[in-house]
Amino acid sequence: MSTLRISLLAIFAGAILGAVALMYFVPTLRVAAYPERMGFRTIAPGVMVEAAFSEADAAQLLRDIDTARARIARFYGAFDANVKLVACKTLTCNQRLGGEGQGAGTAAAMTYGTPFVSVLRLAPRGLNPTIIAHEFSHAEFNQRAGYWALFRRKVPAWFNEGLAVVASDDARYMHDGVGHTRCLAPPTGLIEGLNAFRRAGGTDPTLYARAACGV
Protein backbone atom coordinates (compact mmCIF):
# COMPACT_ATOMS: atom_id res chain seq x y z
CA MET A 1 0.00 0.00 0.00
CA SER A 2 1.39 3.39 -0.97
CA THR A 3 2.31 6.05 1.56
CA LEU A 4 -0.33 8.37 0.05
CA ARG A 5 -3.06 5.77 0.43
CA ILE A 6 -2.05 5.09 4.03
CA SER A 7 -2.12 8.83 4.77
CA LEU A 8 -5.56 9.23 3.21
CA LEU A 9 -6.91 6.27 5.17
CA ALA A 10 -5.49 7.69 8.38
CA ILE A 11 -7.09 11.07 7.70
CA PHE A 12 -10.43 9.41 6.89
CA ALA A 13 -10.32 7.26 10.02
CA GLY A 14 -9.40 10.26 12.13
CA ALA A 15 -12.30 12.26 10.71
CA ILE A 16 -14.75 9.46 11.51
CA LEU A 17 -13.45 9.07 15.05
CA GLY A 18 -13.56 12.82 15.53
CA ALA A 19 -17.16 12.99 14.34
CA VAL A 20 -18.18 10.12 16.65
CA ALA A 21 -16.47 11.79 19.60
CA LEU A 22 -18.08 15.13 18.82
CA MET A 23 -21.56 13.58 18.69
CA TYR A 24 -20.90 11.82 21.99
CA PHE A 25 -19.97 15.02 23.79
CA VAL A 26 -22.52 17.30 22.05
CA PRO A 27 -26.03 15.79 22.39
CA THR A 28 -27.52 18.49 20.13
CA LEU A 29 -25.61 16.96 17.23
CA ARG A 30 -27.09 13.55 18.07
CA VAL A 31 -30.57 15.06 17.92
CA ALA A 32 -29.80 16.58 14.51
CA ALA A 33 -28.67 13.17 13.25
CA TYR A 34 -31.28 10.96 14.96
CA PRO A 35 -34.18 13.15 16.14
CA GLU A 36 -36.73 10.38 16.77
CA ARG A 37 -34.28 8.32 18.82
CA MET A 38 -33.64 11.38 20.97
CA GLY A 39 -37.34 12.07 21.57
CA PHE A 40 -37.73 14.86 19.00
CA ARG A 41 -39.92 15.18 15.94
CA THR A 42 -39.22 16.83 12.61
CA ILE A 43 -41.74 19.55 11.70
CA ALA A 44 -39.99 20.76 8.53
CA PRO A 45 -36.78 19.85 6.71
CA GLY A 46 -33.94 20.49 9.15
CA VAL A 47 -36.23 21.66 11.98
CA MET A 48 -36.60 19.38 15.03
CA VAL A 49 -38.60 20.09 18.18
CA GLU A 50 -39.11 18.29 21.48
CA ALA A 51 -42.37 16.49 22.15
CA ALA A 52 -43.66 19.34 24.37
CA PHE A 53 -44.28 21.52 21.29
CA SER A 54 -47.96 21.76 20.44
CA GLU A 55 -49.07 22.12 16.84
CA ALA A 56 -49.59 25.85 17.47
CA ASP A 57 -46.11 26.13 18.98
CA ALA A 58 -44.58 24.38 15.98
CA ALA A 59 -46.45 26.60 13.52
CA GLN A 60 -45.28 29.73 15.36
CA LEU A 61 -41.68 28.51 15.32
CA LEU A 62 -41.81 27.98 11.55
CA ARG A 63 -43.15 31.52 11.10
CA ASP A 64 -40.34 32.88 13.29
CA ILE A 65 -37.79 30.93 11.25
CA ASP A 66 -39.16 32.43 8.03
CA THR A 67 -38.92 35.93 9.54
CA ALA A 68 -35.34 35.29 10.68
CA ARG A 69 -34.33 33.88 7.28
CA ALA A 70 -35.68 36.94 5.51
CA ARG A 71 -33.85 39.27 7.91
CA ILE A 72 -30.51 37.53 7.35
CA ALA A 73 -31.04 37.33 3.59
CA ARG A 74 -31.60 41.09 3.48
CA PHE A 75 -28.43 41.75 5.46
CA TYR A 76 -26.08 39.38 3.63
CA GLY A 77 -27.76 39.54 0.22
CA ALA A 78 -28.63 35.83 0.50
CA PHE A 79 -28.96 33.12 3.10
CA ASP A 80 -27.29 30.00 1.74
CA ALA A 81 -25.98 28.33 4.90
CA ASN A 82 -26.79 24.68 5.44
CA VAL A 83 -28.48 24.64 8.84
CA LYS A 84 -30.36 22.31 11.13
CA LEU A 85 -32.33 23.69 14.05
CA VAL A 86 -33.07 21.87 17.31
CA ALA A 87 -35.62 23.60 19.53
CA CYS A 88 -36.49 23.03 23.19
CA LYS A 89 -39.77 24.13 24.74
CA THR A 90 -38.84 23.14 28.30
CA LEU A 91 -35.83 23.83 30.50
CA THR A 92 -35.45 20.10 31.11
CA CYS A 93 -34.91 19.56 27.38
CA ASN A 94 -32.45 22.44 27.14
CA GLN A 95 -30.43 21.19 30.10
CA ARG A 96 -30.42 17.64 28.71
CA LEU A 97 -28.78 19.04 25.57
CA GLY A 98 -26.12 20.88 27.54
CA GLY A 99 -27.87 24.21 28.05
CA GLU A 100 -28.52 26.06 31.27
CA GLY A 101 -31.45 27.56 33.16
CA GLN A 102 -33.47 30.63 32.30
CA GLY A 103 -31.58 33.47 34.01
CA ALA A 104 -30.55 36.61 32.17
CA GLY A 105 -26.96 35.44 31.92
CA THR A 106 -27.74 32.08 30.32
CA ALA A 107 -27.48 31.37 26.61
CA ALA A 108 -30.74 31.65 24.68
CA ALA A 109 -29.24 29.68 21.81
CA MET A 110 -26.05 28.04 20.58
CA THR A 111 -24.64 27.32 17.13
CA TYR A 112 -22.36 24.34 16.57
CA GLY A 113 -20.42 24.87 13.35
CA THR A 114 -19.02 21.96 11.33
CA PRO A 115 -17.43 21.90 7.87
CA PHE A 116 -20.72 20.68 6.37
CA VAL A 117 -23.62 21.98 8.44
CA SER A 118 -24.35 24.39 11.29
CA VAL A 119 -26.57 22.94 14.01
CA LEU A 120 -28.53 25.46 16.10
CA ARG A 121 -29.91 24.74 19.56
CA LEU A 122 -32.69 27.01 20.80
CA ALA A 123 -33.49 27.29 24.50
CA PRO A 124 -37.08 28.14 25.50
CA ARG A 125 -36.26 31.86 25.77
CA GLY A 126 -34.61 31.75 22.35
CA LEU A 127 -37.84 30.96 20.50
CA ASN A 128 -38.18 34.31 18.71
CA PRO A 129 -37.09 35.75 15.33
CA THR A 130 -34.29 37.92 16.73
CA ILE A 131 -32.46 35.08 18.50
CA ILE A 132 -32.97 32.75 15.55
CA ALA A 133 -31.63 35.43 13.17
CA HIS A 134 -28.60 35.90 15.44
CA GLU A 135 -27.77 32.20 15.15
CA PHE A 136 -28.49 32.18 11.41
CA SER A 137 -25.93 34.97 11.07
CA HIS A 138 -23.32 32.75 12.72
CA ALA A 139 -24.19 29.96 10.28
CA GLU A 140 -24.01 32.21 7.23
CA PHE A 141 -20.76 33.81 8.36
CA ASN A 142 -19.35 30.34 9.09
CA GLN A 143 -20.05 29.38 5.48
CA ARG A 144 -18.65 32.57 3.98
CA ALA A 145 -15.52 32.89 6.11
CA GLY A 146 -14.85 29.17 6.08
CA TYR A 147 -15.15 26.73 8.95
CA TRP A 148 -11.40 26.36 9.39
CA ALA A 149 -10.84 30.10 9.62
CA LEU A 150 -13.24 30.22 12.56
CA PHE A 151 -11.97 26.97 14.05
CA ARG A 152 -8.40 28.33 14.04
CA ARG A 153 -9.61 31.58 15.65
CA LYS A 154 -8.71 33.73 12.63
CA VAL A 155 -11.86 35.78 13.29
CA PRO A 156 -12.13 37.45 16.73
CA ALA A 157 -15.17 36.44 18.75
CA TRP A 158 -16.30 40.05 19.26
CA PHE A 159 -16.57 40.52 15.48
CA ASN A 160 -18.59 37.34 14.90
CA GLU A 161 -20.93 38.12 17.80
CA GLY A 162 -21.20 41.82 17.00
CA LEU A 163 -21.98 41.02 13.39
CA ALA A 164 -24.77 38.70 14.51
CA VAL A 165 -26.24 41.49 16.66
CA VAL A 166 -26.23 43.89 13.70
CA ALA A 167 -27.53 41.31 11.21
CA SER A 168 -30.37 40.27 13.51
CA ASP A 169 -31.20 43.94 14.22
CA ASP A 170 -31.28 43.22 17.95
CA ALA A 171 -32.87 46.24 19.66
CA ARG A 172 -31.51 45.13 23.04
CA TYR A 173 -28.01 46.17 22.00
CA MET A 174 -28.47 48.96 19.44
CA HIS A 175 -30.34 52.22 18.99
CA ASP A 176 -32.41 52.86 15.90
CA GLY A 177 -30.56 54.76 13.21
CA VAL A 178 -27.58 54.26 10.93
CA GLY A 179 -23.89 53.55 11.51
CA HIS A 180 -22.24 54.68 14.74
CA THR A 181 -25.41 56.47 15.87
CA ARG A 182 -26.74 53.01 16.76
CA CYS A 183 -24.05 52.42 19.42
CA LEU A 184 -25.33 51.89 22.94
CA ALA A 185 -21.80 51.55 24.32
CA PRO A 186 -18.34 52.43 22.94
CA PRO A 187 -16.33 49.55 21.43
CA THR A 188 -13.89 49.18 24.32
CA GLY A 189 -12.63 46.00 25.98
CA LEU A 190 -13.44 43.84 22.95
CA ILE A 191 -12.78 40.13 23.58
CA GLU A 192 -11.12 38.05 20.88
CA GLY A 193 -11.27 34.54 22.35
CA LEU A 194 -14.54 32.62 21.97
CA ASN A 195 -14.46 30.91 25.37
CA ALA A 196 -13.55 34.16 27.12
CA PHE A 197 -16.36 35.95 25.30
CA ARG A 198 -18.89 33.31 26.34
CA ARG A 199 -17.77 33.47 29.97
CA ALA A 200 -18.03 37.26 29.99
CA GLY A 201 -21.43 37.18 28.30
CA GLY A 202 -23.10 35.92 31.46
CA THR A 203 -21.97 38.81 33.64
CA ASP A 204 -21.24 41.78 31.34
CA PRO A 205 -24.50 43.48 30.25
CA THR A 206 -22.81 45.73 27.68
CA LEU A 207 -20.61 43.07 26.04
CA TYR A 208 -22.79 42.49 22.97
CA ALA A 209 -23.56 46.19 22.60
CA ARG A 210 -19.83 47.00 22.53
CA ALA A 211 -19.18 44.23 20.02
CA ALA A 212 -21.96 45.51 17.76
CA CYS A 213 -20.56 49.03 18.00
CA GLY A 214 -17.13 47.67 17.06
CA VAL A 215 -18.60 46.09 13.93
Side-chain angles (χ1 to χ4, degrees):
M1 185 178 292
S2 69
T3 301
L4 175 60
R5 183 173 296 180
I6 292 173
S7 298
L8 290 174
L9 286 174
I11 292 171
F12 181 69
I16 292 176
L17 290 174
V20 170
L22 190 61
M23 290 184 66
Y24 177 80
F25 288 109
V26 184
T28 300
L29 299 184
R30 296 203 299 275
V31 175
Y34 309 105
E36 285 74 22
R37 293 185 189 178
M38 296 290 289
F40 283 67
R41 61 189 176 95
T42 301
I43 60 172
V47 181
M48 289 137 281
V49 300
E50 72 161 314
F53 271 76
S54 67
E55 292 302 321
D57 293 331
Q60 182 61 56
L61 176 61
L62 293 178
R63 287 193 294 270
D64 290 342
I65 290 172
D66 286 343
T67 299
R69 281 184 175 274
R71 193 175 299 181
I72 295 305
R74 284 195 302 270
F75 182 83
Y76 282 98
F79 180 46
D80 298 322
N82 182 22
V83 300
K84 290 190 175 184
L85 191 149
V86 174
C88 284
K89 183 69 176 178
T90 66
L91 291 178
T92 300
C93 164
N94 191 54
Q95 291 168 336
R96 182 165 65 97
L97 297 188
E100 300 163 311
Q102 61 181 349
T106 60
M110 183 70 70
T111 295
Y112 301 94
T114 78
F116 311 106
V117 62
S118 291
V119 180
L120 286 54
R121 186 192 77 227
L122 294 180
R125 71 185 191 90
L127 301 174
N128 64 75
T130 299
I131 298 298
I132 297 171
H134 183 110
E135 302 307 317
F136 279 172
S137 175
H138 287 319
E140 184 68 15
F141 187 64
N142 177 49
Q143 177 161 303
R144 293 181 182 225
Y147 169 79
W148 293 111
L150 298 181
F151 181 78
R152 295 172 63 189
R153 305 293 190 258
K154 297 294 185 180
V155 179
W158 70 262
F159 182 85
N160 197 352
E161 293 294 344
L163 185 66
V165 170
V166 176
S168 63
D169 198 24
D170 195 331
R172 295 175 300 171
Y173 305 119
M174 299 184 299
H175 292 299
D176 291 331
V178 178
H180 67 86
T181 63
R182 305 200 71 183
C183 289
L184 284 177
T188 58
L190 299 177
I191 299 176
E192 296 201 358
L194 179 59
N195 291 333
F197 192 99
R198 286 176 177 170
R199 287 194 299 269
T203 57
D204 188 340
T206 69
L207 181 66
Y208 284 88
R210 301 198 313 272
C213 187
V215 171

